[in-house]
Amino acid sequence: MSRSVESMLGLLKIRVKRGINLAVRDALSSDPYVVITMGKQKMKTHVINSNCNPVWNCDLTLPIRDPNLPVHLTVYDKDTFSVDDKMGEANIDIKPYIACLKMGLENLPNGCAIKKIQPTRINCLLDESSIIWNNGKITQDMSLRLNNVECGEVEIQLDWVEVPGCKACIKINVSLKYCLNSICCSIFLS
């Protein structure tokens, strides 16, 4: 097994769902795509031609070694004869999501909100975002307000993928006894 797999915490799957009211960068529309970066890692969606409300539904997966590295989302307009135009950017704060994964929850009812994140100037959230337990997985849907642009939002979903054999992996299932004694009571009351 390679050292790089052993040093991983796991894989963060970011589903880039759609853009809403993205800025016009061509004559009447734009040809948007999204680039996600974390450290030296860079991934991008496909281009949607002539659409300021694109639906990508594209899964981009990042190996996570250091959850403190910022995850950055940038929307671009694809141009044929010039440099692609920037259409806005946002930071994705994964720290609350990673903290929920480390709780070791198990056997919660579907739809149970583990944590609610309020919008701030730093996290780029448009609305409150809940970290949810669904079918044995922890997910987080986010609507991000794009910065450095006149308008635009991007909807994404975070999901965690465990990697067999990594020693530092964050496991989603520890024990129900731990969950009931120290965490779930506050979840159900909030």
Side-chain angles (χ1 to χ4, degrees):
M1 180 162 317
S2 75
R3 186 179 291 269
S4 64
V5 171
E6 288 179 355
S7 67
M8 251 195 296
L9 297 174
L11 299 171
L12 180 66
K13 182 171 71 173
I14 302 173
R15 170 164 283 183
V16 181
K17 293 179 173 182
R18 65 185 187 133
I20 301 168
N21 194 30
L22 298 180
V24 173
R25 290 293 182 257
D26 295 333
L28 299 172
S29 189
S30 292
D31 307 312
Y33 66 95
V34 173
V35 174
I36 304 269
T37 57
M38 182 180 194
K40 295 180 181 181
Q41 301 178 77
K42 182 177 178 179
M43 307 192 79
K44 67 180 184 176
T45 66
H46 55 283
V47 175
I48 304 285
N49 292 317
S50 302
N51 195 332
C52 290
N53 294 291
V55 176
W56 289 286
N57 280 327
C58 181
D59 291 340
L60 304 176
T61 305
L62 295 168
I64 303 297
R65 288 178 180 76
D66 181 358
N68 296 313
L69 281 177
V71 179
H72 193 73
L73 176 147
T74 308
V75 182
Y76 289 95
D77 170 48
K78 181 71 175 164
D79 287 327
T80 306
F81 301 110
S82 63
V83 175
D84 293 353
D85 301 313
K86 222 180 219 189
M87 297 174 65
E89 57 195 342
N91 291 316
I92 303 170
D93 185 7
I94 66 168
K95 290 178 197 152
Y97 180 75
I98 298 292
C100 287
L101 291 172
K102 289 181 177 180
M103 289 179 179
L105 303 174
E106 186 177 287
N107 297 332
L108 296 176
N110 280 339
C112 180
I114 300 167
K115 184 172 180 85
K116 295 182 180 187
I117 314 299
Q118 298 301 317
T120 67
R121 291 181 185 202
I122 297 168
N123 66 18
C124 300
L125 289 174
L126 183 65
D127 299 312
E128 178 180 88
S129 173
S130 294
I131 301 170
I132 305 287
W133 177 272
N134 269 321
N135 298 318
K137 295 189 131 229
I138 297 174
T139 61
Q140 182 179 4
D141 288 312
M142 297 179 171
S143 293
L144 302 171
R145 176 182 297 118
L146 296 176
N147 294 323
N148 304 317
V149 68
E150 60 272 20
C151 60
E153 305 164 19
V154 174
E155 292 182 355
I156 65 169
Q157 182 182 65
L158 304 182
D159 191 7
W160 190 254
V161 179
E162 292 180 22
V163 178
C166 66
K167 290 181 181 174
C169 275
I170 297 172
K171 302 292 184 196
I172 295 177
N173 51 1
V174 174
S175 75
L176 181 59
K177 187 181 284 186
Y178 171 77
C179 173
L180 289 175
N181 289 337
S182 60
I183 297 169
C184 291
C185 295
S186 63
I187 293 169
F188 294 121
L189 295 174
S190 61

